[in-house]
Amino acid sequence: MQEFNAFLDLLTMLASDFRMGGLFVLLVMAAVSDVRFYRIPNWLTFGGMVFAIVYGTFAARTPMTGAMTALGGLGTGLAIMLPFYVLGIMGAGDVKLMAMVGAFLGPYQTLQTILFTCIVGGFAAVAVAIHRRRLGHMLANVKGAAQGIVVSGIAGIRPNGTIDTRQSIGKLPYGICICVGTIAQVLAHQLGFV
């Protein structure tokens, strides 16, 4: 009975909270765009950021608190994902999408969402490697990167921060991982699991 009540609470939240409904729609649109074109449009991410900040500002008990929560989440998503763009691991659209998600969720929930997204991304990477029959190659890449980090740390050598894209097993539209990870985190949060 308690699970049924939690499910009803979840449905009520999705029906009554335009912000979460809007976030889910934007995430699905971003995932579809990323699968089809390997890019996430700026109008979607920046439009979502503006919507989240404005809605968060005026829906909160105090506008300053709402604005700070939205901007803090945006900054959290951007700060954590930006190094992956700098290293060439992730596209700029993925970074902007996570910043948009942060504007909707606030800093703490954004941290949880990034964790969920990384877990989904790990499973997706393994699935893509298996599908392309490149799992051994992917594991060799992971082993080489780990060894490089350890050797650099022991020798006191600063790694150059570049990744050889020729060794890649292929592109992964990470917008899907962000979409699935965010929706899973929001649902888990609403059901009281996190």
Side-chain angles (χ1 to χ4, degrees), residues 6 29 33 42 48 53 74 87 89-90 95 106 121 143 149 153 155 161 168-169 174 181 185 193:
M29 290 171 59
S33 176
N42 285 334
I53 292 168
L74 187 149
L87 291 172
I89 298 171
M90 185 172 291
V95 174
K143 178 183 172 191
I149 291 170
S168 173
I169 62 164
Y174 208 70
Q185 192 283 331
F193 296 128

Side-chain angles (χ1 to χ4, degrees), residues 45-60:
T45 55
F46 289 125
M49 288 177 203
V50 169
F51 172 77
I53 292 168
V54 170
Y55 187 92
T57 299
F58 293 109

Side-chain angles (χ1 to χ4, degrees), residues 109-123 174 177-178 180-189 193-194:
Q109 209 170 343
T110 300
L111 290 172
Q112 292 179 337
T113 299
I114 290 171
L115 177 62
F116 274 63
T117 298
C118 289
I119 292 168
V120 171
F123 282 115
Y174 208 70
C177 303
I178 294 172
V180 172
T182 301
I183 291 172
Q185 192 283 331
V186 168
L187 296 179
H189 181 75
F193 296 128
V194 292

Side-chain angles (χ1 to χ4, degrees), residues 75-93:
T76 300
L78 184 66
I80 291 175
M81 301 303 264
L82 192 59
F84 296 110
Y85 170 73
V86 171
L87 291 172
I89 298 171
M90 185 172 291

Side-chain angles (χ1 to χ4, degrees), residues 5 23 35 48 71 80 88 98-99 102-103 130 134 151 174 176:
N5 287 338
L23 174 60
V35 168
L71 291 171
I80 291 175
M98 187 54 76
I130 290 171
R134 308 266 307 197
V151 169
Y174 208 70
I176 294 173

Side-chain angles (χ1 to χ4, degrees), residues 12 136 138 144 149 156 180 191:
T12 302
M138 183 186 89
I149 291 170
V180 172
L191 293 172

